Amino acid sequence: MKKIITLSLSLVFSLSIYGQNLLTLITYENWSGGTWVNYSEQTNTYDGSGYLTNQLDQLWDGSSSSWNNNEQFSYTNNGNGTVQQNIKQSWNPSSGTWMNSERLSYTHNGSNQVLTLTYENWSGGAWVNYVKSTNSYDGSGYLTNNVFQLWDSSSSSWKNSSQTNYTNNVNGTTQQLIQQSWLPTGAWSNSIRTIYTYNGSNQVLAMTTEFWSGGAWINYLKSTNSYDASGYLTNNLVQLWDSSSSSWENSNQTNYTNNVNGTTQQLIQQSWLPTGAWSNSQRATFTYTNSTGIHESNEIPFHFFPNPTSGILNIALTSLSEYEVFNINGQRVAQGKTEGQIDITNLPTGSYQIIITNDDGRSTQTIQKI
């Protein structure tokens, strides 16, 4: 079976967007010719309740030294803050207008956990079914299964594509997940397995991803996290398995500079060179704006692990919290309630912004899906 995984550099940050700070601007730069050069910029807009309503993504145009529109995401929220629908649009430079691209619609259970997430593409002036994700939970509300289906236009029905089964620890953190692919024979076949280890604070120390090959699990990728004395993430190291030497070899790392309140001030991504040294790749700088809304509150000291992840995010939480997941274009692609885990197994590879809300306030972090 052909297996393809795209490995992306980690883009992780922890910051508050509800109460004292709103993350209104993120500027990304690439390392080129010995200096940092503008690459992309993300601008967020919120309503009076602090819920994200629009995300504008722009790319840097070196010839005009200006930011040009690229994509935007518009969100329709339920009264409790969960996402009802979001629409992605692409900028058409010729007409100077926004063009529909994708739409995501959500259904929830009584605990506001996402039951289904339906993706549609804009085609011929109408929305057309494309992908559907369905979740199952146990009695404690922990995710146990996610089924990913594709729309079959010939039969006008959903067809199985892949699924992920979760084994959870008693505290709700993920012990192991196994991804499977649907075969034409009508059976599930193992594909990828991810195993997690934690420190005493239930923060992920290591995430090991393996491929199913020849009837056995084979090492592929390992992600290792380091934290400071306050429990804030300072480094994420990604390594790939070298079968010839039977050892893990460096691939990329992300170093974080945090503010005293735990929010990220800046991150720098680096790639490992054959010469045995780290080389700068990308830098992200974060701008915050003080909130003037009525929902002033303390920032939530939480972190997502592992990062990058192949599907399951673990969060250090002290109470049941609501979550929302947004892609880099600002589209809300998942939402629900959690006591320590979020599943993004069926989301495409890339960077996502996660928003956590509970009685203490609201905070945001960005993770990388591989």
Side-chain angles (χ1 to χ4, degrees):
M1 178 184 299
K2 183 178 181 180
K3 304 181 181 74
I4 299 176
I5 284 188
T6 301
L7 177 63
S8 301
L9 293 176
S10 171
L11 286 174
V12 187
F13 53 92
S14 175
L15 42 98
S16 170
I17 65 165
Y18 188 85
Q20 296 178 348
N21 293 304
L22 290 173
L23 175 63
T24 53
L25 183 68
I26 308 174
T27 303
Y28 296 91
E29 302 165 290
N30 287 332
W31 182 258
S32 178
T35 187
W36 293 108
V37 179
N38 283 336
Y39 171 65
S40 67
E41 194 164 76
Q42 173 186 314
T43 304
N44 297 326
T45 303
Y46 307 86
D47 62 20
S49 298
Y51 301 135
L52 183 65
T53 57
N54 182 270
Q55 178 180 313
L56 172 64
D57 292 326
Q58 297 176 300
L59 297 177
W60 180 255
D61 180 6
S63 61
S64 63
S65 295
S66 62
W67 294 105
N68 290 339
N69 289 338
N70 181 41
E71 294 178 329
Q72 73 168 356
F73 300 84
S74 301
Y75 303 92
T76 301
N77 303 308
N78 295 311
N80 60 4
T82 58
V83 177
Q84 181 185 111
Q85 190 174 88
N86 67 72
I87 296 176
K88 172 185 176 181
Q89 296 177 308
S90 299
W91 181 254
N92 187 328
S94 300
S95 62
T97 58
W98 292 104
M99 308 293 291
N100 286 336
S101 176
E102 298 175 4
R103 183 171 70 175
L104 284 74
S105 302
Y106 303 81
T107 64
H108 305 79
N109 61 19
S111 300
N112 289 325
Q113 293 174 307
V114 173
L115 289 177
T116 63
L117 171 59
T118 304
Y119 295 76
E120 301 166 291
N121 289 326
W122 182 258
S123 178
W127 292 109
V128 179
N129 283 333
Y130 173 57
V131 171
K132 185 176 182 180
S133 173
T134 304
N135 296 323
S136 299
Y137 306 88
D138 62 19
S140 299
Y142 301 137
L143 184 65
T144 56
N145 177 266
N146 174 270
V147 177
F148 194 70
Q149 297 173 301
L150 298 177
W151 181 253
D152 180 14
S153 58
S154 61
S155 63
S156 296
S157 63
W158 294 104
K159 301 295 183 181
N160 288 338
S161 176
S162 65
Q163 73 169 358
T164 304
N165 296 302
Y166 305 93
T167 302
N168 302 308
N169 297 310
V170 292
N171 62 0
T173 58
T174 300
Q175 179 186 111
Q176 179 178 272
L177 66 85
I178 295 178
Q179 300 177 29
Q180 298 176 311
S181 299
W182 184 253
L183 300 179
T185 57
W188 292 107
S189 174
N190 288 335
S191 177
I192 298 172
R193 181 173 71 173
T194 304
I195 301 171
Y196 302 86
T197 62
Y198 303 83
N199 61 19
S201 300
N202 289 325
Q203 294 173 312
V204 172
L205 290 177
M207 175 193 79
T208 303
T209 299
E210 304 165 306
F211 278 135
W212 181 257
S213 179
W217 292 109
I218 307 299
N219 283 335
Y220 169 65
L221 177 147
K222 185 176 183 180
S223 172
T224 305
N225 296 321
S226 298
Y227 309 90
D228 61 20
S230 298
Y232 301 135
L233 184 66
T234 57
N235 177 270
N236 173 264
L237 172 65
V238 176
Q239 297 172 300
L240 298 177
W241 182 253
D242 180 12
S243 57
S244 62
S245 63
S246 296
S247 62
W248 294 105
E249 303 290 341
N250 290 338
S251 174
N252 61 79
Q253 72 171 357
T254 304
N255 295 302
Y256 304 94
T257 302
N258 302 309
N259 296 309
V260 293
N261 61 2
T263 58
T264 298
Q265 180 185 108
Q266 190 174 85
L267 65 83
I268 295 179
Q269 301 173 22
Q270 297 177 312
S271 299
W272 183 253
L273 300 179
T275 57
W278 292 105
S279 174
N280 288 335
S281 175
Q282 189 175 66
R283 180 174 69 175
T285 304
F286 307 95
T287 301
Y288 305 82
T289 301
N290 290 333
S291 170
T292 57
I294 61 174
H295 299 285
E296 296 295 333
S297 61
N298 294 326
E299 296 179 4
I300 308 172
F302 73 88
H303 296 281
F304 287 71
F305 310 98
N307 199 333
T309 178
S310 61
I312 292 295
L313 295 170
N314 296 283
I315 318 163
L317 294 174
T318 59
S319 63
L320 182 66
S321 304
E322 294 183 354
Y323 71 86
E324 300 167 87
V325 183
F326 300 87
N327 62 21
I328 198 166
N329 296 312
Q331 296 172 308
R332 184 177 291 129
V333 295
Q335 67 182 54
K337 287 188 176 181
T338 180
E339 291 181 307
Q341 286 184 341
I342 296 177
D343 177 33
I344 61 168
T345 303
N346 291 321
L347 296 181
T349 297
S351 296
Y352 293 89
Q353 189 175 85
I354 313 285
I355 298 175
I356 290 289
T357 305
N358 61 25
D359 292 338
D360 298 320
R362 184 166 170 149
S363 293
T364 297
Q365 191 173 62
T366 292
I367 57 86
Q368 189 74 16
K369 168 67 186 303
I370 59 174

